[in-house]
Amino acid sequence: MLTKSLELLRREAAETGAHTLKRSLGPFHLIAIGVGVIIGAGLFSLTGIAAANHTGPAVTLSFVVAAVGCAFSALCYAEFAAMVPVAGSAYTYSYATMGELFAWIIGWDLVLEYSVGAATVAISWSQYLVKFLGNYGLHLPPQLVASPFETSVLADGSTVSGLVNLPAMLVVLAITAIIVRGTQGSAWFNAVVVALKVSVVLVFIALGWRYIDPANYQPYIPQNTGVFGEFGWSGILRGAGVVFFVFIGFDIVATMAQEAKNPQRNMPIGIIGSLLVCTVLFMLFGHVMTGLAHYSAFKDSAAPVAIAIEQTPYAWLSSAIILAILIGYTSVILVDLLGQSRVFFSMSRDGLLPRVFSQIHPRFQTPHRSNLLLGGFISLFAGFVPIRVVGEMCSIGTLLAFVMVCVGVLIMRKREPNAPRSFRTPWVPVVPVLGIVTCLVMMLSLPADTWLRLFIWLALGLVIYYAYGKKHSKLRQGLAVDPTVEAPGTGLG
């Protein structure tokens, strides 16, 4: 099993120069990045779908289950991010603990996670844009705001099939252009947008609380339909698996480790701080949303906030809040795109992907070519795939990454018990094991077709690894040049 040593990873983290990422992010930036992607992705899109199809008003309990699993995983992420302040997140941690093949699998999984995450939010952004323009009598052609697998109901009751979700594609490409110009500028843009987005959540909770209809909470946990995952306690578990997608913010904070100032101190603050802030807001938001409108009203809608606001006397605020949501969504897409390109950056530096993904712009010090290639790829996802499909794919990808990180902490504590750790996961092995169990339970609760798509994606990744990555691995090439050099930490076995 070929692994990277901690010493090698620390040398990579200490590198400076024109071909390295710029360290420009403090603790405030990191928390804002985490909050920026957590608040919005599921809160403004998948929450309603989860309530309508799986949980009813008990979507708040799904958030609790998901948050518990996140808390275990976040503590493990924080230990690794402080020990190994290198771009790549779970990919890098797996390389140091479980070897190159497992690192490739989790890196390829993270690509799925961030790609479909950005696409999910872009699709919801498009639906909110349609509602915003509709308030002013402006109507986009329905064929150009839906994927080919979706139909739209027109005012006369007739239906029309979509061709492409053009607004979703365009917003991905526009944000790609922003992040190409630099991480620090993107971070400040994100901080401003996050402040606006948190304000929207607080206003929604404060104004909506007075108009909650208690009848909408009856029954709080709807009776199971006889099908696993359709309401009842199994529905709460499946709902947790679906909305788990919203908690990937702290995961993406970990991908920014190589751009953080004083990462040993600031990475744990960014990871755990963003999770705590958002968990409280999620529960309050879900409670108000399902209290304002019956959960069935949110079925197949990626814009549940607009539906909930219509049940209050503040319907005139709908346009203002939707506009704020549209702006806030941009930070979610921005951070997803940042996270994905940093994983590709790390994989490319290791030789597992072509060099184009780790080439740094001489002026902006960003992996600009990687940003452009990935932005184009994700825009196609957003334009041609329905939101339900991409949302569930992102959840299972996130959960798999969390399982691998929890396993990695157990391995590293046994293999490197005396390595310096500025942050230590408490109660090892209890916390990592609980993280593994919680995440696996949520993965098993997801639909079978989601698992099938994950296996197909991972199989495609393995083909690429054996056809290209294994042959070009820099670590393997080093072993081939000098046979006396042992695989750092473990050797080849």
Side-chain angles (χ1 to χ4, degrees):
M1 183 172 63
L2 187 64
T3 63
K4 274 190 172 183
S5 68
L6 288 179
E7 180 59 31
L8 178 58
L9 290 170
R10 289 185 180 121
R11 286 204 303 269
E12 289 181 8
E15 290 177 2
T16 59
H19 300 290
T20 60
L21 299 173
K22 184 178 180 181
R23 291 197 180 276
S24 58
L25 305 179
F28 172 76
H29 290 134
L30 293 170
I31 291 177
I33 285 172
V35 173
V37 73
I38 296 174
I39 294 184
L43 203 62
F44 296 143
S45 57
L46 294 181
T47 305
I49 293 175
N53 298 326
H54 305 297
T55 68
V59 68
T60 52
L61 299 181
S62 291
F63 277 127
V64 172
V65 174
V68 169
C70 277
F72 298 138
S73 302
L75 292 169
C76 295
Y77 264 99
E79 176 170 322
F80 266 127
M83 285 179 66
V84 189
V86 180
S89 184
Y91 160 76
T92 302
Y93 311 153
S94 297
Y95 215 148
T97 56
M98 287 171 275
E100 184 175 276
L101 177 59
F102 282 100
W104 169 270
I105 291 173
I106 203 62
W108 192 246
D109 171 69
L110 288 172
V111 172
L112 172 70
E113 174 188 334
Y114 298 147
S115 296
V116 297
T120 300
V121 182
I123 295 168
S124 186
W125 185 93
S126 175
Q127 292 199 18
Y128 275 109
L129 178 67
V130 169
K131 286 185 174 291
F132 178 78
L133 296 177
N135 290 341
Y136 296 94
L138 301 174
H139 301 283
L140 300 177
Q143 298 92 335
L144 299 182
V145 294
S147 78
F149 305 97
E150 297 173 300
T151 57
S152 301
V153 180
L154 304 180
D156 60 4
S158 61
T159 60
V160 59
S161 297
L163 295 176
V164 59
N165 195 329
L166 190 59
M169 295 184 69
L170 292 177
V171 71
V172 171
L173 295 175
I175 295 173
T176 296
I178 292 174
I179 66 176
V180 164
R181 293 189 57 84
T183 303
Q184 187 171 23
S186 301
W188 278 111
F189 168 79
N190 179 68
V192 173
V193 170
V194 167
L196 174 63
K197 190 158 49 175
V198 171
S199 298
V200 169
V201 173
L202 294 175
V203 167
F204 175 79
I205 293 171
L207 295 182
W209 198 280
R210 294 177 56 195
Y211 297 95
I212 289 175
D213 182 358
N216 289 327
Y217 294 134
Q218 303 301 324
Y220 192 73
I221 304 177
Q223 186 174 358
N224 182 262
T225 62
V227 178
F228 183 90
E230 292 185 5
F231 307 106
W233 286 103
S234 67
I236 291 172
L237 284 177
R238 176 160 293 180
V242 171
V243 301
F244 200 92
F245 161 79
V246 309
F247 287 104
I248 66 173
F250 72 82
D251 172 289
I252 291 180
V253 171
T255 71
M256 311 302 292
Q258 204 162 340
E259 292 157 273
K261 303 174 184 176
N262 191 5
Q264 287 75 15
R265 179 180 70 91
N266 293 340
M267 293 307 297
I269 293 175
I271 291 171
I272 298 172
S274 58
L275 178 62
L276 290 175
V277 169
C278 294
T279 300
V280 174
L281 291 176
F282 282 2
M283 295 176 63
L284 293 173
F285 185 94
H287 181 75
V288 171
M289 191 188 77
T290 53
L292 289 175
H294 193 266
Y295 63 86
S296 60
F298 304 123
K299 191 172 182 64
D300 298 325
S301 173
V305 175
I307 294 173
I309 290 175
E310 291 172 358
Q311 312 305 314
T312 74
Y314 303 109
W316 58 272
L317 278 177
S318 178
S319 294
I321 291 181
I322 291 175
L323 178 60
I325 290 172
L326 286 171
I327 297 172
Y329 264 23
T330 60
S331 70
V332 182
I333 302 171
L334 181 149
V335 178
D336 273 332
L337 295 177
L338 279 174
Q340 187 194 47
S341 66
R342 272 45 179 183
V343 173
F344 262 50
F345 173 84
S346 293
M347 297 175 76
S348 176
R349 278 186 48 150
D350 292 331
L352 303 182
L353 287 174
R355 186 170 174 266
V356 64
F357 292 106
S358 58
Q359 290 177 332
I360 301 297
H361 193 283
R363 177 184 171 192
F364 302 134
Q365 286 188 262
T366 59
H368 59 297
R369 292 180 179 175
S370 178
N371 290 142
L372 294 172
L373 287 171
L374 295 172
F377 171 74
I378 294 171
S379 71
L380 295 177
F381 252 89
F384 294 99
V385 182
I387 190 170
R388 183 191 70 82
V389 173
V390 291
E392 291 175 352
M393 288 174 66
C394 186
S395 289
I396 199 167
T398 305
L399 288 162
L400 179 58
F402 288 1
V403 168
M404 298 290 273
V405 171
C406 291
V407 171
V409 165
L410 293 173
I411 294 175
M412 192 58 74
R413 285 292 185 93
K414 184 175 181 63
R415 183 179 297 161
E416 300 276 357
N418 299 319
R421 290 170 169 86
S422 58
F423 178 87
R424 298 178 65 89
T425 303
W427 305 308
V428 173
V430 175
V431 167
V433 169
L434 288 175
I436 293 168
V437 171
T438 306
C439 293
L440 285 177
V441 168
M442 284 187 279
M443 288 179 71
L444 293 172
S445 72
L446 288 170
D449 58 345
T450 302
W451 279 89
L452 178 62
R453 295 186 194 103
L454 175 65
F455 288 139
I456 292 173
W457 177 259
L458 294 180
L460 174 62
L462 288 175
V463 170
I464 296 173
Y465 172 71
Y466 284 107
Y468 180 91
K470 187 174 181 179
K471 296 177 182 178
H472 294 83
S473 166
K474 292 183 179 179
L475 206 55
R476 288 183 181 276
Q477 288 175 351
L479 289 171
V481 171
D482 183 359
T484 66
V485 178
E486 193 177 6
T490 61
L492 274 174

